[in-house]
Amino acid sequence: MKSDLNQADTASFTLSGKTTELPVFTATHGPNVVDIRALYKHTGAFTFDPGFTSTASCESKITYIDGDEGVLLYRGYPIDQLAENSNFIEVAYLLLKGELPSDQELVDFDRSITMHTMVHEQLKNFYNGFRRDAHPMAIMVGVVGALSAFYHDSTDINDPKQRLIASHRMIAKMPTIAAMAYKYSIGQAFVFPSNDLDYTSNFMRMCFAVQAEEYEVNPVLSSALDKIFILHMDHEQNASTSTVRLAGSSGANPFACIAAGIASLWGPAHGGANEAALNMLEEIGHVDNIPEYIARAKDKSDPFRLMGFGHRVYKNYDPRAKVMRKACHEVLDALGVREDPLLEVAMELERIALEDPYFVEKKLYPNIDFYSGITLRALGFPTEMFTVLFALARTVGWIAQWSEMVEDPNQKIGRPRQIYTGAAQRDYTDIKGR
Ligand code: SDX
């Protein structure tokens, strides 16, 4: 990655009567940044920003979000245009390489991914160590972390060729590993990848086919799932992507970094929200119960939050939620699901929340997870698999961001500082004297 930090201004920072001049770099879109790398050296002070609400951890050219305008761009292209006109493999190429592929580039990339979809036969032994009712995200963390034990020829992160192979292997094997986690949980035999299917159709077949009969992929459903994967591929420096970058900054191999990202994504405040949102809709059960849950969401003494609402960055509508809502109705129409009680609850909850002053003032709009749960359930996936599908898609973003971090001339091992407010230095006392 070539660094494009252009200084357009200077910020003056005064502390204890001493003023320090700090460079300000301009962005293509969005906020400029104050370069505080020399702040501690010049002032002896750190900045304080738990949750990094105002801190840029890196320079990136991959994704841009405008939270107020509800904008999401992958390499400059609006997410709704990509979701409507492109497909998983082409968008994966775009995120990794920075440009849309030519015909031949796309054929070559698709072929390379296809030729890496199988996993080492011994990897299957890891599944047998899990209980059948293990959460599939627990299996994903374990099995993906174990990949570094199998692919020693692509763990040298300083070799661009090995980074490329590791990237393609990761993107190609995630659907196979995810489908195997699903099959294991329902006690069915694993289904091998099929090289004559596209990426998403191949995944659906590995999940839902059984050896006893032919399986026909429904093109409407695989197209909707392909769109869902595109929406989930990348999202700037979210918690799991920042985890992958931090793990990678120490030189850890890409498989271990992706396993760390999967672990972070699992949290209900992040990627686990789609599973939590569907569980919440099931708990609400009927539109008559919505007011009680809205009241609980507002009650500071109650930890309950409306899962699928709110976002650290989007303080307007999550543009992905709009596309997700459309895909949801496409899937339900294709399946002839005229009324889904959960969809009824979801749409009434959305209507009420968008009118309620509490949610309007706090800018809590539906996010991508609000409709994805209903759609994935309609596609036949159990709730526990929802975050696995999120991880499958986000692997493209994690790998693109990891590669960018490794190639960034400014990258250093991530090592945040702190403000210490613990005990002042004191001497040890013998237990008799305490
Ligand atoms: C994802 O970062 C990413 O980009 C993530 C993601 C991606 O693609 O990688 O977009 C994917 O993680 C989407 C978000 C999924 N999570 C959920 O749906 C879980 C429910 N949402 C909340 O946990 C929350 O909204 C967060 C975690 C998403 C955002 O939290 P913030 O920005 O840190 O905001 P906050 O927790 O400080 O909340 C601000 C206020 C608080 O009230 P006050 O303290 O100001 O009085 O809003 C309230 C919160 O109590 N609030 C909610 C709420 N979310 C925030 N109240 C009720 N229900 C909610 N869902």
Side-chain angles (χ1 to χ4, degrees), residues 11 35 42 51 69 84 170 183 190 207 222 270 296 301 305-306 365 375 378 383 390 393 415 429:
D35 180 355
H42 292 317
E69 298 304 317
E84 289 308 319
M170 206 60 257
K183 283 301 199 187
F190 298 142
C207 288
S222 64
H270 186 16
R296 283 186 58 194
S301 63
R305 285 193 166 178
L306 286 185
Y365 294 87
T375 314
T383 311
F390 195 151
R415 206 283 184 213
T429 53

Side-chain angles (χ1 to χ4, degrees), residues 53 65 231-232 234-241 265 268-274 297-298 300 304-315 318 320 358-359 362 364 367-369 390 394:
T53 50
I65 300 169
L231 296 176
H232 285 81
D234 195 51
H235 215 238
E236 287 192 358
Q237 306 311 316
N238 57 84
S240 54
T241 298
L265 186 75
H270 186 16
N274 52 19
K298 295 178 188 174
K300 286 284 160 250
F304 174 80
R305 285 193 166 178
L306 286 185
M307 303 316 280
F309 280 79
H311 198 278
R312 167 60 56 77
V313 176
Y314 290 125
K315 298 308 175 191
D318 181 338
R320 303 168 299 176
Y358 173 90
F359 295 94
K362 293 185 186 299
L364 301 175
N367 58 47
I368 188 165
D369 297 297
F390 195 151
R394 186 53 58 89

Side-chain angles (χ1 to χ4, degrees), residues 187-299:
Q188 287 186 3
F190 298 142
V191 174
F192 278 93
S194 168
N195 289 354
D196 54 14
L197 290 176
D198 66 72
Y199 187 88
T200 302
S201 301
N202 195 19
F203 173 64
M204 289 186 78
R205 181 178 169 279
M206 288 191 282
C207 288
F208 301 125
V210 286
Q211 277 76 346
E213 59 187 25
E214 285 308 307
Y215 175 79
E216 276 302 304
V217 178
N218 178 329
V220 174
L221 303 188
S222 64
S223 159
L225 185 57
D226 199 83
K227 205 176 282 185
I228 292 169
F229 285 161
I230 289 171
L231 296 176
H232 285 81
M233 271 175 164
D234 195 51
H235 215 238
E236 287 192 358
Q237 306 311 316
N238 57 84
S240 54
T241 298
S242 299
T243 302
V244 171
R245 278 181 171 260
L246 197 55
S249 72
S250 73
N253 74 73
F255 305 106
C257 296
I258 298 299
I262 294 171
S264 170
L265 186 75
W266 195 359
H270 186 16
N274 52 19
E275 175 178 356
L278 195 88
N279 291 337
M280 175 192 74
L281 292 174
E282 285 178 335
E283 186 186 333
I284 293 174
H286 191 277
V287 291
D288 296 345
N289 303 329
I290 290 175
E292 172 206 338
Y293 284 85
I294 294 270
R296 283 186 58 194
K298 295 178 188 174
D299 177 358

Side-chain angles (χ1 to χ4, degrees), residues 75-261:
R75 300 285 191 181
Y77 295 96
I79 189 68
D80 53 333
Q81 292 183 26
L82 292 170
E84 289 308 319
N85 304 306
S86 188
N87 59 53
F88 179 93
I89 279 292
E90 184 176 72
V91 177
Y93 183 98
L94 172 68
L95 285 172
L96 287 175
K97 310 278 187 184
E99 298 297 335
L100 288 169
S102 66
D103 259 340
Q104 193 54 52
E105 286 165 338
L106 185 58
V107 165
D108 295 344
F109 180 66
D110 191 17
R111 179 89 185 131
S112 172
I113 297 297
T114 299
M115 299 318 288
H116 283 291
T117 51
M118 290 178 73
V119 293
H120 192 292
E121 271 302 292
Q122 280 178 229
L123 201 75
K124 299 181 177 180
N125 300 335
F126 284 90
Y127 289 80
N128 294 324
F130 290 100
R131 287 172 36 159
R132 291 281 180 177
D133 62 351
H135 195 291
M137 283 297 278
I139 296 177
M140 294 302 288
V141 171
V143 174
V144 171
L147 286 175
S148 21
F150 288 83
Y151 297 111
H152 302 100
D153 62 340
S154 61
T155 51
D156 173 3
I157 66 158
N158 298 307
D159 176 351
K161 283 200 191 64
Q162 291 197 34
R163 289 205 303 273
L164 187 74
I165 295 171
S167 302
H168 288 194
R169 273 180 166 148
M170 206 60 257
I171 293 169
K173 295 180 194 309
M174 278 299 273
T176 310
I177 291 168
M180 289 166 73
Y182 172 57
K183 283 301 199 187
Y184 185 75
S185 73
I186 57 176
Q188 287 186 3
F190 298 142
V191 174
F192 278 93
S194 168
N195 289 354
D196 54 14
L197 290 176
D198 66 72
Y199 187 88
T200 302
S201 301
N202 195 19
F203 173 64
M204 289 186 78
R205 181 178 169 279
M206 288 191 282
C207 288
F208 301 125
V210 286
Q211 277 76 346
E213 59 187 25
E214 285 308 307
Y215 175 79
E216 276 302 304
V217 178
N218 178 329
V220 174
L221 303 188
S222 64
S223 159
L225 185 57
D226 199 83
K227 205 176 282 185
I228 292 169
F229 285 161
I230 289 171
L231 296 176
H232 285 81
M233 271 175 164
D234 195 51
H235 215 238
E236 287 192 358
Q237 306 311 316
N238 57 84
S240 54
T241 298
S242 299
T243 302
V244 171
R245 278 181 171 260
L246 197 55
S249 72
S250 73
N253 74 73
F255 305 106
C257 296
I258 298 299

Side-chain angles (χ1 to χ4, degrees), residues 51-65:
F52 311 111
T53 50
S54 301
T55 297
S57 61
C58 63
E59 175 188 0
S60 182
K61 303 171 186 286
I62 299 174
T63 295
Y64 171 69
I65 300 169

